[in-house]
């Protein structure tokens, strides 16, 4: 089984597959310098598009694929769908549910980082920015806004001129997020709809402090059978592994 990874759920699934005696290779893109590794075999780096993935699957006799990549990793999901369709390989998408507003929230949904950048000046001047390392260029032109940029690895320029960098990977707590908001006098949170428990505390903290949130919608995904939990993906894997 091939697990396309890079998420906590992918790691948990690989661990569970190994515990169930199912041969698994987890694939990581290689974006993070010191990734948390799952049990089982691990390969790192791109395949070379859908064609490269088809070739890799043939050489390694892959029987089925779980796409457990991040909800914003749209390209690899497209490639997985194309490669599995081409080779007739069963494909499952393991996607954590997105976040949704709760009473007291003031969220502004946008389609992409550029739209988030456009929305900022009217909403705040000291921003906690957690949209990830990729796509920060969209905010580089905002020279009147101060950003606390939090991401796992150091981002490449261009970055907004007034910022502080916070390299961290979570999981985060409500107390920690409230402390961060207060210490930096944050008045706006800008994030993307990653979903899951590990990074949701910033949204709880924003609600508690009455702060607005600009949130980037998930990109469209290819058609595939979907589950939302590691347990459901494990059931599917057990069935397909015979
Ligand atoms: P992407 O835009 O969908 O992928 C870009 C290229 O990176 C793909 O075409 C593929 O290269 C390679 N790639 C991506 N995921 C791969 C994987 N699991 N194994 C092997 N190659 C992979 O993805 P991304 O946004 O750069 O994200 C890269 C990885 O980081 C993903 O595994 C994802 O789960 C994780 N991640 C992403 C985010 C995010 O916000 N995007 C957040 C947290 C974690 P080839 O075409 O050469 O095969």
């Amino acid at each position: 089984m091939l697990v396309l990874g890079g998420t906590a759920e992918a790691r948990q699934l690989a661990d569970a597959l190994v515990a169930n005696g199912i041969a698994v290779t987890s694939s990581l893109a290689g974006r993070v310098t010191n990734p948390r590794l799952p049990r089982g075999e691990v390969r790192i780096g791109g395949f070379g598009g859908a064609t490269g993935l088809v070739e890799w699957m043939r050489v390694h006799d892959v029987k089925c694929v779980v796409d457990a990549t991040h909800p914003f990793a749209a390209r690899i999901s497209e490639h997985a769908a194309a490669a599995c369709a081409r080779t007739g390989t069963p494909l499952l998408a393991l996607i954590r549910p997105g976040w949704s507003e709760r009473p007291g929230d003031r969220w502004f949904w946008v389609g992409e980082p550029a739209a988030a950048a456009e929305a900022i000046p009217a909403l705040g001047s000291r921003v906690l920015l957690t949209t990830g390392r990729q796509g920060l260029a969209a905010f580089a032109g905002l020279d009147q806004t101060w950003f606390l940029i939090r991401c796992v690895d150091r981002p490449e320029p261009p970055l907004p001129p007034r910022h502080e960098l916070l390299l961290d990977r979570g999981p985060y707590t409500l107390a920690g997020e409230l402390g961060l908001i207060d210490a930096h006098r944050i008045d706006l949170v800008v994030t993307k709809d990653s979903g899951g428990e590990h990074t949701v505390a910033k949204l709880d903290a924003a609600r508690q402090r009455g702060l607005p949130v600009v949130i980037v919608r998930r990109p469209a995904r290819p058609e595939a059978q979907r589950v939302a939990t590691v347990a459901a993906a494990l059931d599917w894997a057990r069935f397909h592994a015979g």
Side-chain angles (χ1 to χ4, degrees):
M1 176 160 303
L2 172 63
V3 174
L4 299 169
T7 57
E9 290 85 351
R11 246 181 353 260
Q12 289 159 11
L13 176 62
D15 291 352
L17 290 170
V18 170
N20 279 266
I22 299 172
V24 56
T25 299
S26 295
S27 176
L28 304 178
R31 299 266 184 280
V32 174
T33 40
N34 187 19
R36 291 173 179 153
L37 295 177
R39 292 174 69 193
E41 286 188 27
V42 175
R43 65 162 301 285
I44 298 182
F47 295 98
T51 308
L53 180 53
V54 165
E55 187 53 27
W56 196 95
M57 287 165 59
R58 283 210 176 107
V59 168
H60 294 85
D61 196 20
V62 170
K63 296 283 187 280
C64 49
V65 176
V66 177
D67 174 8
T69 56
H70 193 270
F72 280 78
R75 245 181 312 159
I76 186 70
S77 295
E78 288 291 344
H79 295 170
C84 288
R86 234 181 272 172
T87 53
T89 309
L91 169 68
L92 181 76
L94 166 57
I95 316 164
R96 62 177 85 136
W99 290 317
S100 41
E101 284 156 277
R102 294 178 26 197
D105 281 333
R106 206 152 50 94
W107 290 7
F108 299 84
W109 288 90
V110 294
E112 53 187 11
E118 270 176 40
I120 286 174
L123 293 171
S125 58
R126 296 185 64 83
V127 175
L128 171 61
L129 182 60
T130 67
T131 49
R133 192 166 42 130
Q134 302 176 60
L136 288 177
F139 304 92
L142 292 174
D143 53 8
Q144 301 301 308
T145 311
W146 183 87
F147 290 90
L148 179 61
I149 300 175
R150 183 169 67 191
C151 45
V152 177
D153 275 323
R154 189 167 287 280
E156 299 289 328
L159 300 175
R162 301 176 61 225
H163 75 263
E164 185 177 322
L165 208 53
L166 180 56
L167 300 183
D168 200 355
R169 63 170 22 155
Y172 303 105
T173 63
L174 176 60
E177 299 295 55
L178 286 170
L180 206 63
I181 284 174
D182 293 344
H184 294 278
R185 293 178 288 116
I186 298 295
D187 59 10
L188 173 65
V189 174
V190 177
T191 189
K192 60 184 180 189
D193 182 17
S194 295
E197 292 301 313
H198 280 207
T199 59
V200 75
K202 63 191 161 204
L203 298 171
D204 298 331
R207 184 182 314 116
Q208 216 163 78
R209 290 289 183 264
L211 302 187
V213 174
V214 175
I215 181 161
V216 182
R217 248 182 239 108
R218 294 176 171 198
R221 292 186 67 98
E223 282 300 313
Q225 189 183 340
R226 288 183 186 203
V227 293
T229 64
V230 172
L234 181 60
D235 284 345
W236 183 90
R238 277 213 202 95
F239 174 79
H240 283 280

